[in-house]
Structures are given as C-alpha cells and as structure tokens.
Amino acid sequence: MDLPVAPPAFDATTGPGQSRVADRGADIGAGCGLVLLELIALVVIFGLWYLSGFNLDPGKTVTTDSLWNYLAAAGGVGILAITAAAIAARAGAVVTVVTQAIMAILTCAIIFGGATVQSHQDQLCRDIPSAAGCKGNGYTAHAHGSRLTAHGSRSIAAGDVRDRRGPAPTPGDPAHHESPRLGATRGRL
C-alpha cells in the first residue's frame, strides 16, 4: 500500500533564514593564529618603547619615549581585533569571535592603563621637570600642544609663545650680524 508523502513543513537547510557555521577546525586555527599575530605585534610595539630608554653608555642617562605614539599603534591592533571579530561573526566562526573579543578587551585595558600612566608622568614632569623619568630641559609634553625644545627655548601652550633666551640683539650689538646669503640674525644661537 502506497501512502501519500507530504512535503516537509519546514526545511532549515535552504532559504534566507539559513544559519551558517564555519568549519570548527578552521575557526580554531584562525582564532589562534590571529591571537598569536596580535600578541606578537603588541610585544614588538611595547618592546620598541622599552628599547627607547635603553643605552649601553653608562655615562649617559636615558629615559624612555612618551607612550602616546606607542599607545596609538596598540590602538591599531585593537581595531584589527574588532574588525576580525565582526568578520568572524558574519561568517559564523564562534571561536574567532570570542578570541578577538578577548584581544580587543585586553588591548583596551592596555591602552587605558598606559594612557593613565603617561598622563600622570606628563603632569609630574610639568610640575617638577627634574623628577625621575623626565627628560630635563628636553622634556616634551604632547598633551594640549605644549612643548619645550631641547634647549628650553620656547614654551608653546594654548597659543602662548615666549622666548626664554632673552631679548633679540639689536643691529648695533656686536653679537648681531647678518649673513648676506641668509639675511638672518645669527647672534642668538
């Protein structure tokens, strides 16, 4: 006896509601590979920052560079992690989404912690330029555009420009002479 066969009521394998899941092995490999590359990038970035304060000359005191540029580079790694997580979510790669979300959170924590430390160091060096870790006369504060040059000659903060070397020599002053080629005052080097 042949009974009639009814068509399936709902087929989840076709149509616009189809959910895709990435191959689990490829998902794990991609997630681990991206984490490894991002960790290597962070180690290189902050290793370069550490090496900026390293010198083999025992008679020379060297301080590390400001963290701001290195934190910006670490932010690029964080943006990469967020982008990879979004692409992995669209592809259904759950493991990659989780690992990239963890890397994005870790990178954000590093950036906020580094920004807090560097902000504190900048404020300390503004208040006490001779404090440990400050670059003496060559201190450069990146916040709000203020900067002291290596000779402590100019302070530019919020549009305020003051020359700390004293008044410019007058044309009758022996320290003043003009170069015929440059036409510039050379007495204030």
Side-chain angles (χ1 to χ4, degrees):
M1 170 172 165
D2 289 325
L3 296 173
V5 177
F10 178 71
D11 187 4
T13 60
T14 61
Q18 178 183 0
S19 72
R20 298 179 310 178
V21 177
D23 179 34
R24 190 66 63 199
D27 184 14
I28 292 171
C32 292
L34 283 170
V35 166
L36 179 67
L37 290 175
E38 290 162 353
L39 287 175
I40 289 171
L42 289 174
V43 166
V44 166
I45 289 167
F46 291 107
L48 289 173
W49 170 76
Y50 176 76
L51 289 177
S52 72
F54 184 72
N55 192 351
L56 294 175
D57 186 5
K60 190 174 184 183
T61 303
V62 180
T63 57
T64 56
D65 290 341
S66 176
L67 263 174
W68 295 119
N69 293 331
Y70 299 96
L71 292 175
V77 173
I79 290 172
L80 174 73
I82 291 169
T83 305
I87 293 170
R90 186 165 171 85
V94 178
V95 175
T96 304
V97 171
V98 170
T99 58
Q100 292 307 293
I102 291 171
M103 280 304 296
I105 291 169
L106 174 70
T107 306
C108 284
I110 289 171
I111 290 170
F112 288 128
T116 302
V117 168
Q118 188 60 49
S119 187
H120 175 73
Q121 183 69 24
D122 287 348
Q123 184 63 40
L124 177 69
C125 290
R126 263 187 240 113
D127 294 343
I128 308 167
S130 62
C134 297
K135 290 186 177 183
N137 289 338
Y139 171 73
T140 302
H142 294 285
H144 307 295
S146 64
R147 179 183 176 127
L148 294 177
T149 61
H151 302 290
S153 60
R154 293 189 183 270
S155 171
I156 303 170
D160 179 29
V161 177
R162 285 176 266 151
D163 193 348
R164 297 182 187 265
R165 291 179 284 199
T170 59
D173 189 3
H176 174 80
H177 65 278
E178 291 193 19
S179 169
R181 281 190 347 205
L182 300 176
T185 302
R186 297 222 173 223
R188 295 180 9 166
L189 295 176

